Amino acid sequence: MLRNALGKSFRFLGYTVQYGCIAHCAFEYLGGIVVCSGPSMEPTIQNSDVVLSENLSRHFYCIRKGDIVIVKSPNDPKSNICKRVIGLEGDKVCTSNPSDFLKSHSYVPKGHVWLEGDNLRNSTDSRCYGPVPYGLIRGRICLKIWPLNDFGFLRASPNGHRFLDD
């Protein structure tokens, strides 16, 4: 009887570890469902919208300008942020706020990206903390799944004029 109970316990433990590893790999390398919070990406993503993120793009270095990404916060490594990629390494970006009279520009260093929220007046982004290392990118948002009346691919940036083509 003890042998039978130990056998069942070890089988259960083995399945738990096995499926835990599969789940970890799926969420780490394939993607997952993310609930977004905060006003920084409005009107594209509202507070409490649910989106689908995929992680393969970051592993294959397929992140492009205009993509919305989930990133480990440079200010708080325990939290993730959702921002739009404005510039890739070597790109010239506008580093000033939209309300600034004099515009300042800078180049994104190697191995970094420049991130900004779509709601420029209410977003803590690269204009505050500078370029973000590519390694902090967790995934790329590809689809909004909730609310259902807004289901589908995400719209283009309302700040397209901030993309510089120098």
Side-chain angles (χ1 to χ4, degrees):
M1 185 166 127
L2 180 61
R3 177 183 253 175
N4 190 20
L6 281 175
K8 285 183 180 181
S9 296
F10 281 125
R11 270 196 302 280
F12 176 75
L13 181 63
Y15 286 131
T16 303
V17 169
Q18 180 180 6
Y19 291 121
C21 290
I22 291 170
H24 168 74
C25 289
F27 289 126
E28 178 67 22
Y29 296 103
L30 297 179
I33 295 172
V34 178
V35 178
C36 297
S37 63
S40 71
M41 285 302 293
E42 292 177 355
T44 309
I45 298 174
Q46 304 289 327
N47 192 35
S48 300
D49 280 358
V50 180
V51 295
L52 182 67
S53 81
E54 59 84 16
N55 299 352
L56 292 174
S57 294
R58 77 175 167 114
H59 291 295
F60 293 116
Y61 296 94
C62 297
I63 302 294
R64 299 183 316 250
K65 280 198 271 189
D67 286 347
I68 299 175
V69 292
I70 303 292
V71 180
K72 283 282 183 200
S73 172
N75 294 337
D76 179 14
K78 293 180 182 175
S79 66
N80 291 322
I81 58 174
C82 176
K83 304 291 179 196
R84 190 178 298 271
V85 177
I86 300 298
L88 301 169
E89 63 180 47
D91 287 345
K92 182 179 178 182
V93 293
C94 180
T95 58
S96 55
N97 289 313
S99 59
D100 292 348
F101 181 71
L102 295 173
K103 302 297 181 199
S104 59
H105 296 86
S106 182
Y107 287 93
V108 180
K110 184 175 176 70
H112 290 71
V113 293
W114 189 268
L115 303 175
E116 291 182 3
D118 285 354
N119 185 355
L120 292 174
R121 299 196 192 290
N122 197 1
S123 177
T124 303
D125 49 35
S126 287
R127 293 172 294 150
C128 299
Y129 44 72
V132 176
Y134 193 92
L136 292 182
I137 296 175
R138 306 303 306 149
R140 181 178 64 89
I141 294 178
C142 52
L143 193 67
K144 187 186 294 190
I145 56 179
W146 188 263
L148 287 177
N149 63 341
D150 211 9
F151 179 87
F153 295 105
L154 299 169
R155 63 179 80 127
S157 172
N159 306 311
H161 63 280
R162 302 223 6 125
F163 294 86
L164 300 176
D165 293 325
D166 288 32

